[in-house]
Amino acid sequence: MSSSSPSSTARQVTRPTRPPAGSAPDPDELQRAQENAVVALLDVPAVADELAARFAARGHLLYLVGGSVRDAVLRGTGASTRDSGDLDFTTDARPEQILAIVRGWAEAVWDTGIAFGTVGLRRDGQTLEVTTFRADTYDGTSRNPEVRFGDTVEGDLVRRDFTVNAMAVELTGSHRRFVDPHGGFAALAQGVLDTPDTPERSFSDDPLRMLRAARFVSQLGFTPAARVTAAMTAMADELTRITAERVQAEFTKLMIGDHPRRGLELLCDTGLARHVVPEVPAMQLETDEHMQHKDVYTHSLVVMEQAIERETDGPDLTLRLAALLHDIGKPATRRKEPDGRVSFHHHEVVGAKMTRKRLRALKYPKVLVDDVCQLVYLHLRFHGYGKGEWTDSAVRRYVADAGPLLERLHRLVRSDCTTRNRRRASALQRNYDGLEDRIAELRKQEELDAIRPDLDGNRIMELLGIPPGPAVGKAYRHMLALRMEQGPMDAEQAEVALRAWAAENL
């Protein structure tokens, strides 16, 4: 049975004493008042109190830890937060004791993490994870720790990634106690990201924490402590110990955060980007003596920010990745022309191939990879639109090639205008307004979003008297090209066109 006596670092939640009139407020009293407010803001579901009662009845401690505590403190400072939905707990009970406590109460239990002291469970639609106090050691060459269970909450909290995540609230006492041995409350109030232990030891234990630091910069807008940035820079190569799947998960969270530019800049400044998206820092090209091109790196970050401003339904990972990577083909295609100009011919083609290689290496799903690559490939096509000289067939091809990505392509192309020349910027936006107007007009006349040949494969075989095979595909592609070029045809016109083509090609 575990002792429930409060530690020196755990502050009981009590009503602060009002200082005598005219006296200066006691800093400790102010701190306690703030912490009381945090605990009051902590929205603990009834299911957590039920669980705590079961642990207390068996003589064990149960602490709420992690994001729910951090977010309660953030709410106390007036910051907006996103609730994760899941609840994380730590306890002095060993895994087999946790299983005994939740047996018959939890609706579902999974023990896939039991070797690391974690028991997952579900109750009343809520997912909960309970982990035994940990006091692990690491071998310094892999992510796998030598699992050792601890006896105190303070020992558990010191091994967590950042001080803002190293706070806990005890639920099993007569009243809730806020536990903050590493100054996480003050760090949150100041917007500083630091580690409970030295950052060198913390990052050596799990190098992914360096990428997680950039993710928290993106999500919460924090500034890493100087010692954290220094350790990230010195230990960037340690990230190679981490699997691509784990890297991708953190990078995705960074990209859909509220401040992704800040997170990306931290990755590039510390050298971590070399092991995640090396093509991004590679865009930091030197400006030539004629000032013929922008800093492609900065331009890409601005385009991403402008694309984010055009989002309508929350973070759009596909659009953000396309905006970030749309110009990664420029370094490889940079050429100095005889007249002194700098060109990047076909950088959209090269960039799409580079994007596919990088996203595949990060183990992104095929659908997302295909969509991002297509946006990168198409992002430059509008610049051939000039002052509206495109034929209707060119507009049809633009819509057909974009397919379901058309709205994203609109946002990407408009965001790609970062010129400070207001007249030129206005002209580009007007031109794109004109293109969108033409798309809308053609949509009224034709089924632009589902362009198909006027004759399908079965009708082609019937008219030409041929079996399934390559000839049918050739005829179908010809009719599709004709549809793009001339617009819709009636059945008689389509049949005449097909027979004329077949007479010369079959």
Side-chain angles (χ1 to χ4, degrees):
M1 185 175 293
S2 300
S3 171
S4 60
S5 60
S7 69
S8 60
T9 55
R11 300 184 177 88
Q12 293 196 5
V13 178
T14 57
R15 190 177 184 85
T17 304
R18 185 183 298 275
S23 64
D26 185 306
D28 289 338
E29 289 290 340
L30 288 176
Q31 180 80 353
R32 281 192 291 273
Q34 289 174 318
E35 293 170 358
N36 290 343
V38 169
V39 174
L41 284 168
L42 190 64
D43 185 16
V44 180
V47 67
D49 283 329
E50 290 178 22
L51 183 63
R54 296 181 69 87
F55 274 79
R58 299 289 187 95
H60 290 291
L61 300 168
L62 186 71
Y63 295 84
L64 186 64
V65 293
S68 54
V69 178
R70 180 195 68 228
D71 291 346
V73 176
L74 283 172
R75 284 192 293 272
T77 63
S80 61
T81 62
R82 297 176 183 171
D83 293 328
S84 63
D86 297 344
L87 296 174
D88 295 321
F89 303 85
T90 189
T91 179
D92 60 333
R94 287 343 191 211
E96 64 277 6
Q97 295 171 319
I98 298 173
L99 287 172
I101 290 171
V102 302
R103 187 175 296 122
W105 177 78
E107 296 159 356
V109 177
W110 51 94
D111 58 4
T112 52
I114 200 165
F116 299 97
T118 299
V119 174
L121 59 112
R122 194 159 187 83
R123 167 83 178 192
D124 295 340
Q126 183 78 52
T127 300
L128 306 91
E129 281 196 351
V130 185
T131 302
T132 302
F133 295 156
R134 295 274 293 275
D136 300 336
T137 57
Y138 293 76
D139 59 17
T141 59
S142 71
R143 170 63 185 97
N144 299 322
E146 177 187 340
V147 178
R148 292 194 300 113
F149 298 132
D151 297 313
T152 67
V153 68
E154 292 80 13
D156 178 89
L157 294 178
V158 75
R159 60 171 292 278
R160 293 181 179 265
D161 53 3
F162 300 106
T163 60
V164 296
N165 293 326
M167 299 176 288
V169 174
E170 185 191 350
L171 304 179
T172 42
S174 57
H175 49 255
R176 293 173 183 163
R177 292 189 304 117
F178 183 72
V179 184
D180 181 19
H182 304 290
F185 184 96
L188 275 175
Q190 297 165 13
V192 174
L193 199 65
D194 205 349
T195 52
D197 205 336
T198 65
E200 289 79 9
R201 179 171 178 179
S202 180
F203 298 156
S204 178
D205 283 352
D206 184 0
L208 189 69
R209 289 174 173 175
M210 296 185 287
L211 187 52
R212 198 174 295 147
R215 186 249 287 187
F216 280 121
V217 167
S218 171
Q219 287 182 328
L220 302 174
F222 285 1
T223 300
R227 68 173 192 160
V228 169
T229 303
M232 291 169 68
T233 304
M235 302 176 66
D237 291 346
E238 292 294 308
L239 196 61
T240 57
R241 290 164 43 193
I242 306 301
T243 64
E245 290 82 359
R246 293 183 72 212
V247 169
Q248 183 246 94
E250 288 298 327
F251 183 65
T252 295
K253 292 175 184 177
L254 182 158
M255 286 298 298
I256 62 175
D258 291 336
H259 313 279
R261 176 171 180 169
R262 294 182 60 180
L264 288 165
E265 287 175 334
L266 180 60
L267 288 185
C268 292
D269 291 345
T270 57
L272 283 165
R274 296 196 310 270
H275 306 293
V276 184
V277 279
E279 298 82 0
V280 173
M283 289 190 289
Q284 295 173 319
L285 299 174
E286 294 182 4
T287 303
D288 63 273
E289 65 272 19
H290 299 288
M291 302 294 288
Q292 289 294 321
H293 72 83
K294 305 170 185 174
D295 178 346
V296 183
Y297 166 75
T298 301
H299 164 76
S300 298
L301 294 178
V302 172
V303 171
M304 181 186 68
E305 289 183 313
Q306 294 184 165
I308 291 170
E309 291 173 359
R310 290 180 164 86
E311 291 175 341
T312 56
D313 298 313
D316 185 340
L317 178 62
T318 299
L319 177 63
R320 294 185 182 197
L321 285 171
L324 175 66
L325 303 175
H326 76 284
D327 274 348
I328 62 171
K330 279 191 171 181
T333 58
R334 182 175 183 239
R335 297 290 183 272
K336 189 170 182 178
E337 303 296 343
D339 61 2
R341 293 183 303 108
V342 173
S343 66
F344 304 96
H345 294 309
H346 306 301
H347 75 267
E348 74 281 11
V349 178
V350 174
K353 293 179 180 178
M354 293 172 65
T355 296
R356 185 174 300 278
K357 181 178 180 181
R358 177 51 48 202
L359 296 185
R360 281 178 172 174
L362 287 170
K363 308 296 185 182
Y364 275 107
K366 182 180 184 302
V367 172
L368 182 139
V369 174
D370 290 344
D371 286 351
V372 174
C373 291
Q374 185 69 349
L375 288 171
V376 172
Y377 177 71
L378 293 175
H379 85 272
L380 207 59
R381 186 174 295 184
F382 162 72
H383 294 281
Y385 187 68
K387 297 181 179 179
E389 302 93 342
W390 276 9
T391 62
D392 285 349
S393 63
V395 176
R396 291 188 196 102
R397 291 183 186 280
Y398 190 77
V399 174
D401 288 347
L405 298 171
L406 184 61
E407 290 305 317
R408 283 191 175 109
L409 183 59
H410 289 336
R411 296 187 181 111
L412 176 60
V413 173
R414 288 186 180 276
S415 301
D416 195 22
C417 176
T418 61
T419 178
R420 296 180 183 179
N421 185 320
R422 292 186 179 181
R423 181 177 298 178
R424 184 167 183 269
S426 296
L428 286 170
Q429 296 298 341
R430 283 196 305 272
N431 281 348
Y432 207 84
D433 288 342
L435 176 58
E436 289 202 61
D437 289 342
R438 288 187 64 187
I439 291 172
E441 186 62 32
L442 280 173
R443 272 189 172 137
K444 292 179 183 178
Q445 304 170 18
E446 310 171 15
E447 296 180 3
L448 264 192
D449 296 320
I451 291 179
R452 299 288 187 274
D454 295 289
L455 299 173
D456 63 18
N458 290 328
R459 184 61 176 151
I460 289 172
M461 289 188 288
E462 180 183 345
L463 288 170
L464 299 182
I466 59 175
V472 179
K474 290 180 181 179
Y476 184 91
R477 287 190 293 273
H478 169 72
M479 295 305 295
L480 178 59
L482 208 59
R483 169 72 172 78
M484 290 283 193
E485 188 64 32
Q486 298 181 9
M489 293 183 287
D490 60 31
E492 183 178 352
Q493 291 172 324
E495 291 176 13
V496 169
L498 175 65
R499 293 185 190 280
W501 175 84
E504 295 183 6
N505 294 276
L506 293 182

